[in-house]
Amino acid sequence: MARFELTPEQDELQRAARGFAVRRLPVAHLRGLRDAREPLRLSREIWREMAQLGWAGIAIDEAHGGAGLGLVELGVVMEELGRTLAPTPLLATSVIGAAALAAGDEALRQAYLPAIAAGERLLALAFEEGRRFAPYTCRTTARRAPSGEGWIVDGDKTFVLDGVAADALIVVAREWGEPDDRDGLVLLVVDGSAAGVEVQPLGMVDSRGTARVRLAGVAVPDGNVLGAPGGGAELLDRLLARATAALTAEMLGAADAVFHTTIEYLKQRHQFGVAIGSFQALKHRAAHMYCELELTRSVVRAALVAVETGAADADILVSAAKARASDVFVLVSGEAVQMHGGIGVTDDLDVGFYYKRARVTDLMFGSAAYHRDRFARLQGY
Amino acid sequence: MIIRQAGMPAIEAFRLDMREWLEASCPASMRKPFLPGEEVWGGRRRTFPSDDARVWFERCVERGYTVPAWPREYGGAGMTRQESRVLDEEMRALGCRSPLVSFGIWMLAPVLFEFASDDQKTEHLPPIGRGEIRWCQGYSEPGSGSDLASLSTRAVRHGDHYVVDGAKVWTSHADQSDWMFCLVRTDSDGPKHDGISFLLIDMTTPGITTRPIPLISGSSPFCETRFDGVRVPAGNLVGREGGGWQIAKKLLEHERSIISVMRDRAPEEAETLPAMLRRTGDPSLRDRVIQAELDFVCNRLTLERSAEAAKAGRSPGAASSMFKLYGTELNKRRKELRVELAGYQGIGWDGPGFEPAELQITREWLRSRANSIEGGTTEIQLNIIAKRVLGLPD
């Protein structure tokens, strides 16, 4: 089976997503949301258009209103959206949220999945509590309600992607154990309008919608618990593997786009009477970046396929892909700023948005350093 | 016993035939990776490291399996591309060694098929496929390294012969080779690229002398080859006079792909980098080991992706420079790390006090320095990518 070649259907999907991103979600869209201080930092109207194209429910099964495709197709769309830094709910809602809800009981699936596929309901995963990626570090508690029915959730979550826009939160909470234990975690669906949920927007450097969430005595019904009993960490691992692989596709698309913008600039910008792209000092750096991007393209695709097919080395490839995508996006966007010279550090130019996004995506779901370490630990060294 | 099912697709039946033949024909000792010096290079003076190597070589030659996709008239097995890929997959699955390692097959033959006359193909291709004639490459000169097109070895036409004078360097294994494919200058006027021709030279011709050049690693796979009034039949010109540069460039693309693939399939090292790290336990080197391992995975995946694209009909073209560049730079890093991990035991040169495997670490580290120079330096590859892939101006 081909591992890297796109199928004709995926190829068509890629072209459609690329066209849509250019037309409806250029970098100017993100800039506009920022300048207008739009609190959601995304457009629900554009999301509904994407839902009509089948992308919101791309990986939801057909019985629940989705297209029945998988993570590889999500990756194709993520990469194209990455090119224009399009702020859409695809990652939080379709990659993570839909997969989380698929682990719920049938009533929960019926309540959420068709609405997600229709673009009517947005989700966000609330798991982080500290300064950096630490999936099992959880002080948020889930206790049985005194009535014996349902749960009471208390705690503080931070860096919640799409936290302001989300209609419901997937909250990671601790049923038992110590704050860093992998065991004892439980994932619950918490309605965003439930009493005791307080969402505070965080102004991040990449202008995306991110929030801090305070949960104070929030009542959650029994039916809103996801996954097998005691299997919270397992489900969380699965969601994070998908999310990380999909994010690397977005990072690849963004890095590739800002790289090509820079190459065009090197051809067009003249100094000392010649195009600056004729200088070997810049040519060699450009060629070096090209190689790094090509290697990243291979490992990103391999990671998406490995997660989708449940390959034995999926976790290793996800870490390899994230380490590489982080490094290459930081490298390429930093070089883009430098090679554009004085205008490279102005807000007028879109290049700065890529540079800022690179730093944020590096930290999301574990930095390059985190994943290099994990890549080795998974292989016993 | 391999079971064939009725109605099985022809290619799957073919696969079973190949598997059956390989299991019966490939000696057990030939199903392990090469150790250094165990390759079979062929040629008039061919040697074999073992009887098994000879048997395996002869069995493959007999069926044309050294060059399975070549037409039968040129000594191949006449397989389709798909069949030849199946044979390759089955050989890999069993871990079979390449029966013949050959510059003739990898570099010269593809350009002979494209540019040579029928007579030349008939004369030269069958002995290449059968491993009877070993070829070396005459490209670089003392005065022409990266600026290859400035080469000045002259070939002057006298009647039905060319008379060749000059010198070639980095002619790998010239002292072991029977013939050389050589770039010569047939015209000194006009643009330098247009005065180059591609000539096939029998190394036994009077006036040729070769001298091995010892490298910093102590080995000397490279030679200097001198030509003093060497008479070469005009019929040994491939393509037209002055058309050699086009052939040379094509051949270099093959060479670059090969150097990167060879790195990928290089003889298996005794101990992996993570194993060395665990044994020596130097935490300060851990991050660099991880990075080298991670890049190795990404490079292997990229070669796989490129092979898939080639099967789908998209050849890498100038992007093959990337494989040459990345494969060799990565290999240098990895060899250097082995030295650092081995500490004092990784910088021994010879004599007692060092295990053979430790001395090999030293030698391979030093040998790897040539990888990013031979076949076009890293800097030349960067130039090629910048110009031909990215379209940056001169």
Side-chain angles (χ1 to χ4, degrees), chain B residues 241-253:
Chain B
E241 196 174 283
W245 186 248
Q246 190 198 352
I247 303 176
K249 272 199 305 190
K250 228 8 182 307
L251 195 144
L252 278 172
E253 275 181 22

Side-chain angles (χ1 to χ4, degrees), chain B residues 137-165:
Chain B
Q137 181 185 49
Y139 270 35
S140 294
E141 299 184 0
S144 301
S146 288
D147 183 12
L148 183 59
S150 71
L151 60 92
S152 62
T153 292
R154 292 177 55 81
V156 180
R157 184 76 182 251
H158 287 287
D160 56 357
H161 279 74
Y162 286 101
V163 177
V164 179
D165 284 281

Side-chain angles (χ1 to χ4, degrees), chain B residues 124-371:
Chain B
H124 293 293
L125 287 170
I128 290 175
R130 291 195 299 263
E132 291 164 2
I133 294 294
R134 183 168 176 180
W135 286 82
C136 63
Q137 181 185 49
Y139 270 35
S140 294
E141 299 184 0
S144 301
S146 288
D147 183 12
L148 183 59
S150 71
L151 60 92
S152 62
T153 292
R154 292 177 55 81
V156 180
R157 184 76 182 251
H158 287 287
D160 56 357
H161 279 74
Y162 286 101
V163 177
V164 179
D165 284 281
K168 292 288 176 182
V169 286
W170 312 125
T171 47
S172 306
H173 308 292
D175 53 341
Q176 314 279 329
S177 297
D178 307 305
W179 280 70
M180 173 187 282
F181 51 91
C182 190
L183 293 180
V184 293
R185 181 155 300 288
T186 42
D187 184 2
S188 305
D189 305 324
K192 62 184 180 181
H193 293 87
D194 297 343
I196 293 171
S197 300
F198 194 91
L199 205 54
L200 307 177
I201 302 177
D202 185 337
M203 293 295 279
T204 60
T205 318
I208 300 179
T209 50
T210 64
R211 175 182 76 86
I213 304 171
L215 300 184
I216 55 175
S217 61
S219 73
S220 44
F222 299 133
C223 295
E224 176 169 5
T225 303
R226 303 197 69 84
F227 301 87
D228 295 301
V230 175
R231 288 173 59 81
V232 179
N236 288 5
L237 176 76
V238 178
R240 59 176 179 79
E241 196 174 283
W245 186 248
Q246 190 198 352
I247 303 176
K249 272 199 305 190
K250 228 8 182 307
L251 195 144
L252 278 172
E253 275 181 22
H254 291 291
E255 183 183 5
R256 277 163 201 153
S257 306
I258 289 154
I259 288 176
S260 58
V261 172
M262 277 175 75
R263 294 280 76 77
D264 188 42
R265 286 203 205 169
E268 211 163 74
E269 273 137 1
E271 197 177 15
T272 64
L273 287 173
M276 282 184 86
L277 180 74
R278 271 194 297 262
R279 184 166 58 78
T280 58
D282 185 343
S284 67
L285 293 173
R286 180 168 178 265
D287 201 50
R288 283 170 57 211
V289 168
I290 295 171
Q291 191 70 61
E293 290 292 291
L294 210 152
D295 289 345
F296 186 80
V297 169
C298 296
N299 191 49
R300 182 171 50 73
L301 290 169
T302 307
L303 287 166
E304 235 176 78
R305 181 161 67 89
S306 170
E308 247 186 45
K311 279 182 200 172
R314 286 177 284 112
S315 85
S320 67
S321 281
M322 172 176 72
F323 298 122
K324 201 298 180 171
L325 160 72
Y326 208 90
T328 58
E329 290 296 332
L330 176 59
N331 195 45
K332 283 198 302 189
R333 266 164 58 203
R334 294 176 64 87
K335 298 296 185 198
E336 217 153 36
L337 259 174
R338 299 178 75 76
V339 170
E340 291 182 63
L341 284 162
Y344 293 140
Q345 295 307 113
I347 49 173
W349 182 253
D350 60 13
F354 301 101
E355 299 293 324
E358 291 170 341
L359 293 174
Q360 196 185 324
I361 290 175
T362 311
R363 303 300 177 108
E364 286 184 1
W365 153 54
L366 291 166
R367 178 61 183 86
S368 72
R369 300 302 303 188
N371 294 158

